[in-house]
Amino acid sequence: MQSSSFRRRTGLAALTLTLLSAMPAVGQDKVRFQTDWIPSGEHAMYYGAWSKGIYAKHGIDITITRGYGSGDTVTKVAAGAADFGVADIAAVMTARARTNVPIKTIAVLYNESPHSLFVLKSSGITDFKGLEGKKIGITPGNSHRFYFPEVAKKAGTDPNKLIWTNMDGAAMAAQLIAKNIDAAPFYSIHYYYINKAAVKAGQEILPLPFVEVGFKIYAATLITTDKMAQDKPDLVKRFLAASKEAFEWAAANPEEACKLHVVRFPEVELDDCMGSVKAVMKFVFNDHSKEFGWGKESPERLKFSWETIASANELKPEFDYKTAIDTSKVTK
């Protein structure tokens, strides 16, 4: 019978070989890719695919960095600090409509919105109206704040009575559990590991999903600049093909994806990662993706998303929102 230490060494050796196999070949395109948040299990498909060699297989020598909210990722990609990024479509459309930032969505990832606010059950807050007069953590440019005025209107809540407090996204869960803030913005897919931390501290998380008040719009997307889309269409196509394969692989192999992810980020526990990956896939692969395909949009839902974003952010309704999205380079 093999000892546990032997199995651990064997597992590490296998992972090392996987990492080595992912080393880029000469002549590959170097790509800088920024996510929208800290490297939780939500991003295991990207980091896992990097280690697995999926991006390398498509001729891409990728480097992935964490994000600090969708607004930050839009800014970094627009400034040339990253070639591609993950950002909520609200941040993309808002930047484009307000200041004509040359950024566009090139694939829709979450075709339903997992936006929610997390509160502690012990706070007594059970709905959005209960947040009036309360302190909510937020990162600059965070899409939850973009959307909340519209959510508040649907929920009968006064958005002007909320107290938004800027802070680092990595600190939000701890600040909520410590009761230094009353609510924190998270995708509902983060519930598993955040509630796990709360339970350890004698608390329990209650999610307040935006979708419960009829908020069914697009959320996370892949983005790039107009220039990249125009000058390097083949690279964009290969990046999208690799990302699509990464999602399909992680959906079919969540444990493998998470083991590779945890090698890069040991602070992420395997079960937390797997909980997030499985939750993510419900927003990616569903009836919408069956009808329109991975990464593609429904004209009706895109229109509703724009109308919601425009109303929430006081944007000019006549803006041609279709200039903010082009998914034509997504392959079937």
Side-chain angles (χ1 to χ4, degrees), residues 144-317:
H144 286 75
R145 189 168 185 179
F146 285 157
Y147 288 150
F148 196 77
E150 185 68 18
V151 174
K153 183 165 61 178
K154 292 177 180 295
T157 305
D158 185 347
N160 297 314
K161 292 184 179 179
L162 275 60
I163 304 168
W164 298 96
T165 304
N166 286 332
M167 61 178 57
D168 181 9
M172 282 203 196
Q175 291 294 305
L176 175 63
I177 294 169
K179 300 185 178 181
N180 293 325
I181 54 176
D182 300 294
F186 286 102
Y187 278 171
S188 57
I189 55 183
H190 298 304
Y191 172 80
Y192 180 91
Y193 73 89
I194 293 177
N195 186 62
K196 180 180 169 183
V199 169
K200 288 181 179 178
Q203 297 291 335
E204 188 176 351
I205 297 293
L206 174 68
L208 302 177
F210 289 9
V211 73
E212 285 192 357
V213 293
F215 198 75
K216 203 167 189 179
I217 66 173
Y218 291 128
T221 69
L222 292 174
I223 68 170
T224 195
T225 60
D226 292 355
K227 181 175 175 57
M228 175 68 78
Q230 180 179 335
D231 294 352
K232 298 182 178 180
D234 178 66
L235 176 57
V236 174
K237 286 180 181 178
R238 285 185 285 119
F239 173 77
L240 290 172
S243 297
K244 179 174 182 283
E245 184 176 341
F247 269 86
E248 292 171 339
W249 162 72
N253 305 278
E255 185 171 0
E256 182 185 6
C258 282
K259 283 182 176 178
L260 291 172
H261 187 68
V262 170
V263 169
R264 291 183 181 274
F265 303 102
E267 68 274 16
V268 178
E269 296 186 17
L270 183 61
D271 64 319
D272 294 342
C273 178
M274 290 179 64
S276 293
V277 169
K278 291 175 181 178
V280 160
M281 297 309 171
K282 296 176 183 178
F283 293 95
V284 177
F285 299 109
N286 46 38
D287 290 342
H288 183 285
S289 62
K290 288 177 183 177
E291 182 177 357
F292 298 98
W294 181 92
K296 295 288 190 174
E297 75 279 8
S298 151
E300 291 76 18
R301 188 167 296 182
L302 180 65
K303 183 174 183 291
F304 176 69
S305 297
W306 160 249
E307 290 171 349
T308 301
I309 293 163
S311 174
N313 295 281
E314 300 181 346
L315 304 175
K316 294 180 179 178

Side-chain angles (χ1 to χ4, degrees), residues 58-101:
H58 289 267
I60 294 173
D61 175 8
I62 198 165
T63 300
I64 306 175
T65 57
R66 65 152 290 186
Y68 295 83
S70 292
D72 176 74
T73 299
V74 166
T75 299
K76 295 284 178 56
V77 173
D83 303 301
F84 298 94
V86 180
D88 195 280
I89 199 168
V92 178
M93 287 183 165
T94 300
R96 189 111 195 181
R98 282 183 175 161
T99 56
N100 198 29
V101 175

